[in-house]
Amino acid sequence: MPKISACIVAYCDYDEVCAAVRSALANTPGDDFALYVVDNASPDGCGPRLAQTDFGDVRVQVICLPKNLGFGKGHNSIMDRLTSDVHFILNPDVIIHDDILPQMAQWLLDHPGVVMATPQLYFPDGRIQNLPRRKPTPWLLLARQLAPRFGGVMQKADEHYTMQDEDLTIPRPIEFCTGSFAAIRTDVFKTIGGFDPEYFMYVEDADLTQRALRQGLVYLLPQFTATHAWHRDPMRDAGKFKMQLKSMGRYFKKWGIGKGNV
């Protein structure tokens, strides 16, 4: 069985984080699994509560950061601890229902040309989430935000961006792997330096994917599934929307605005 690690970066919502932790532990058998829960200085006291929680499993470690480092740097904070073959980046609103972590890890190890992968994620009510994507462009990201409100041309662009014009029922290469649930070869994660620390939040997963693509292929693996609540909606929060625009600016300055792979 592969040696596996996973990291959940938490920010508030103790109950949700606990549910995610317990689902990962319950569905990942074996001693070769390390689960790191990194609290990003949650102002609601989530971190100290997590540190005091007895999950009944020595495989989980809770780390409370002294300040909020952001999503990517939160995940990077445990990189020096990793000794696994495959590392998982998990959101605190993801629930795992079966032993997909070791199965996905083994799939990666059985396909040496693939360095990163994501499963098919679903909303809690069973609706599919269109998270596998093509490489972002400014137009596609704009369409992603505005399609639900305006439809038409923007809806078609969003469907193209989220690869709904492709067969996503079979394993296939993708250009943008969601940070909600990603598996990456640990040596590759370390080689590329984890997430770019200049992103606080938003688009850092697109950036990570582009750097992973320099090492090998990135895949959607729809035979593996999990539930993802997906709370994020930056268009409803002016501060988060401004943060997203800043991240997008950094991304396109770094990778260009054209189509295609690196």
Side-chain angles (χ1 to χ4, degrees):
M1 180 178 292
K3 194 172 183 180
I4 303 168
S5 59
C7 182
I8 297 172
V9 172
Y11 187 75
C12 300
D13 206 335
Y14 169 84
D15 291 335
E16 182 175 70
V17 177
C18 285
V21 170
R22 290 192 171 103
S23 76
L25 293 172
N27 291 286
T28 309
D31 296 330
D32 285 336
F33 176 51
L35 175 59
Y36 301 94
V37 183
V38 177
D39 182 76
N40 242 335
S42 298
D44 67 348
C46 178
R49 290 183 69 189
L50 288 169
Q52 295 170 9
T53 299
D54 181 8
F55 290 103
D57 197 317
V58 297
R59 299 175 299 169
V60 61
Q61 300 179 43
V62 177
I63 300 156
C64 297
L65 299 179
K67 66 177 181 179
N68 185 357
L69 300 181
F71 180 83
K73 289 177 75 173
H75 277 284
N76 289 352
S77 68
I78 53 89
M79 195 181 311
D80 290 344
R81 303 173 184 237
L82 302 181
T83 60
S84 55
D85 300 313
V86 176
H87 180 63
F88 287 84
I89 298 158
L90 301 175
N91 263 18
D93 57 354
V94 164
I95 297 296
I96 297 169
H97 303 287
D98 50 38
D99 59 344
I100 67 169
L101 298 189
Q103 291 186 55
M104 286 185 66
Q106 189 61 59
W107 192 97
L108 274 179
L109 297 180
D110 289 342
H111 296 78
V114 183
V115 299
M116 189 176 184
T118 188
Q120 178 59 63
L121 298 178
Y122 291 84
F123 287 102
D125 63 6
R127 290 177 296 132
I128 196 169
Q129 293 185 3
N130 301 310
L131 286 173
R133 303 172 194 173
R134 292 183 163 90
K135 186 179 179 183
T137 67
W139 163 243
L140 292 177
L141 286 178
L142 178 64
R144 180 69 174 159
Q145 295 295 334
L146 299 182
R149 293 164 176 78
F150 298 101
V153 173
M154 290 188 178
Q155 183 66 40
K156 290 182 179 179
D158 181 49
E159 290 173 357
H160 175 74
Y161 178 41
T162 55
M163 302 180 68
Q164 295 181 61
D165 50 1
E166 301 284 353
D167 182 2
L168 300 181
T169 65
I170 58 174
R172 61 168 300 120
I174 58 176
E175 297 174 335
F176 183 164
C177 184
T178 175
S180 304
F181 191 138
I184 186 168
R185 293 174 184 269
T186 307
D187 60 344
V188 170
F189 190 56
K190 290 187 173 185
T191 295
I192 64 179
F195 287 94
D196 182 338
E198 294 302 316
Y199 296 92
F200 185 81
M201 189 166 65
Y202 303 122
V203 200
E204 66 277 278
D205 48 357
D207 180 275
L208 183 72
T209 305
Q210 295 311 306
R211 287 183 289 120
L213 283 166
R214 289 179 164 178
Q215 307 295 318
L217 296 172
V218 177
Y219 256 67
L220 165 69
L221 303 178
Q223 67 269 40
F224 307 116
T225 64
T227 300
H228 176 216
W230 203 357
H231 300 307
R232 190 180 77 179
D233 188 357
M235 288 293 284
R236 296 182 181 179
D237 185 306
K240 290 182 179 179
F241 183 55
K242 182 179 180 180
M243 188 184 301
Q244 187 180 54
L245 290 176
K246 181 179 179 180
S247 293
M248 288 166 57
R250 175 170 180 79
Y251 177 88
F252 291 121
K253 182 179 180 180
K254 185 174 181 179
W255 298 104
I257 62 174
K259 292 179 61 177
N261 285 324
V262 292

